[in-house]
Amino acid sequence: MAIVELTPARHRPYVGGSTDNNVLQLALGYNGLGRLTGNEIAGFDGRRFGFGFDGPGWGRMFDAATGGQIAWLLPAALLLCLAGFALSGRSAAAPTQAGRWRAAYALWGGWLVATALVLSLMHGIFHPYYTLALAPAVAALAGMGAHTLWRLRRDRAGANLLAAVVAGTAVWSCVLLDRSAAFDPWLRAVVAVTGLLAAAALALSARPARRDRRPTALLAPLAAATALVAVLAGPVAYSLQTVAAPRSGPLVSAGPAVPGARAGRLGGMDMARLLVYRAPDPRVRALLAQNAGAYTWVVATVGSRGAATYQLATGRPAMAVGGFSGTDPTPTLAQFQRDVAAKRIHYFISDPFARAFGGTRVSDSAQIAGWIQHHYPAATIDGVTIYDLLR
């Protein structure tokens, strides 16, 4: 950030996402406090557009859009954090060791709670994949808490608490799996049955094992194995489905589609449709490839979404007018006109995504698009409006 700020503006690219070419404004505004308040400064207001997948609230981590991404072990992690912190003294071999465990629970618990609160209550741009920030804390607390309670399984309270966590997690997994009912429906029955069996076995494992009662001695490891199946079958199935199914586009998500998950909308249009990568029609690619090496940019379009699409398809540079969302004041109309006059740009393609982002604001990119529409003929190929800037 210091290097960018100390480099004169005329010697560096425009800082996209800022309104005054200032990297501090980008980091602390659009990508900082703007995500929390919804008062975005990069040319649009996140609250006005509803940019994101769901609204802020205490239940966001568990709703239809986000639950299957992170919430499988989230309730268990919260409960195990509290139980582990309270019971560390009983499970540790020495007071010093107990202090270390409590410090670890405080560290990971603070991570989990603070991150979950920010993600749940932020009013700005939010996508379900942001919940990846919770994964380390969930994993640490689930593992640590299970270890602490396992050491206390001979104690009736410890065994019952561990059984309750397993049973509750299995029930919650069934709820999450039921949201995509067509996805491996048999799995819900497996999770429910193994969860109840594991919980019962863990509760019974509190009975002290005798030398003449080997089945009782084997009960605890069998209960542990069954519990692992119950609590991990759902997230593992989601992971395998994610690996096996092709994915494209920037809005990454795990598992099958969940009916009722509210996709974000932007200017009245479906974000999922707008942001998912769609390869250009072969006729469009062939048109852009004509004498492509003679131009600095084979095509220009408002916003990086379209520019990236055409650059990936052709392997040739594409100009993103106005930066990511088309709202950055670069290039100016005068700069663009100079590039056109010097024959550095061959085509211009209109992009509805960028128009939705821009709203009613008269931006530099809107002026450029208006100038092109006024002075150059349009052709439509596969629903794409193309302007030849050499005519």
Side-chain angles (χ1 to χ4, degrees):
M1 291 170 64
I3 292 172
V4 174
E5 282 299 290
L6 293 174
T7 303
R10 66 182 182 277
H11 294 313
R12 58 171 165 81
Y14 185 88
V15 178
S18 70
T19 58
D20 61 356
N21 203 8
N22 187 316
V23 71
L24 291 175
Q25 188 193 62
L26 172 67
L28 302 179
Y30 173 61
N31 281 330
L33 295 176
R35 298 297 173 102
L36 303 180
T37 64
N39 185 23
E40 310 291 353
I41 63 171
F44 67 97
D45 188 322
R47 294 168 298 182
R48 178 165 64 92
F49 284 119
F51 190 64
F53 271 70
D54 51 8
W58 297 103
R60 177 183 263 175
M61 297 298 100
F62 306 97
D63 65 17
T66 310
Q69 309 303 305
I70 193 59
W72 300 91
L73 299 177
L74 185 54
L78 289 168
L79 181 58
L80 288 171
C81 178
L82 296 174
F85 188 89
L87 299 175
S88 292
R90 294 172 58 181
S91 65
T96 303
Q97 189 181 49
R100 294 194 184 110
W101 277 92
R102 289 196 180 100
Y105 277 116
L107 169 68
W108 291 111
W111 177 327
L112 183 72
V113 172
T115 306
L117 285 175
V118 169
L119 295 177
S120 297
L121 301 179
M122 59 191 289
H123 287 259
I125 297 172
F126 170 81
H127 296 303
Y129 67 80
Y130 289 1
T131 57
L132 281 171
L134 289 168
V138 171
L141 291 172
M144 290 166 52
H147 175 272
T148 297
L149 293 185
W150 181 255
R151 291 175 63 91
L152 297 173
R153 68 186 184 280
R154 296 299 181 192
D155 180 271
R156 175 63 65 183
N160 289 341
L161 183 56
L162 186 58
V165 170
V166 171
T169 302
V171 171
W172 175 235
S173 293
C174 289
V175 172
L176 292 174
L177 289 169
D178 191 57
R179 291 176 177 177
S180 51
F183 172 68
D184 293 343
W186 55 269
L187 189 59
R188 294 195 298 279
V190 171
V191 170
V193 171
T194 55
L196 293 176
L197 289 176
L202 287 169
L204 291 174
S205 69
R207 297 171 59 185
R210 300 175 184 173
R211 292 182 180 179
D212 58 341
R213 296 183 63 183
R214 291 187 180 181
T216 303
L218 294 175
L219 189 60
L222 288 174
T226 308
L228 286 175
V229 173
V231 302
L232 296 180
V236 167
Y238 260 50
S239 297
L240 293 176
Q241 194 276 344
T242 305
V243 172
R247 293 291 198 277
S248 64
L251 299 183
V252 183
S253 63
V258 177
R262 187 173 71 85
R265 300 189 68 79
L266 185 64
M269 291 188 287
D270 190 343
M271 281 178 54
R273 178 177 63 83
L274 288 167
L275 289 178
V276 170
Y277 172 79
R278 175 177 178 265
D281 184 273
R283 293 169 293 173
V284 176
R285 293 202 302 271
L287 186 67
L288 299 182
Q290 293 176 8
N291 198 25
Y295 309 100
T296 305
W297 297 280
V298 295
V299 65
T301 188
V302 177
S304 65
R305 177 259 188 193
T309 297
Y310 297 116
Q311 185 157 319
L312 286 170
T314 64
R316 297 287 184 173
M319 177 188 288
V321 177
F324 171 70
S325 63
T327 57
D328 293 342
T330 179
T332 64
L333 175 58
Q335 290 171 331
F336 190 86
Q337 288 171 334
R338 286 196 294 269
D339 287 330
V340 171
K343 301 188 185 308
R344 298 191 185 102
I345 311 170
H346 194 176
Y347 295 102
F348 179 85
I349 294 180
S350 179
D351 192 330
F353 172 77
R355 290 203 303 270
F357 246 123
T360 57
R361 178 176 176 268
V362 182
S363 61
D364 291 78
S365 57
Q367 295 178 32
I368 289 171
W371 175 76
I372 292 171
Q373 292 166 10
H374 229 68
H375 293 85
Y376 294 91
T380 302
I381 302 176
D382 188 36
V384 176
T385 304
I386 304 175
Y387 299 86
D388 188 343
L389 302 183
L390 299 184
R391 293 187 178 182

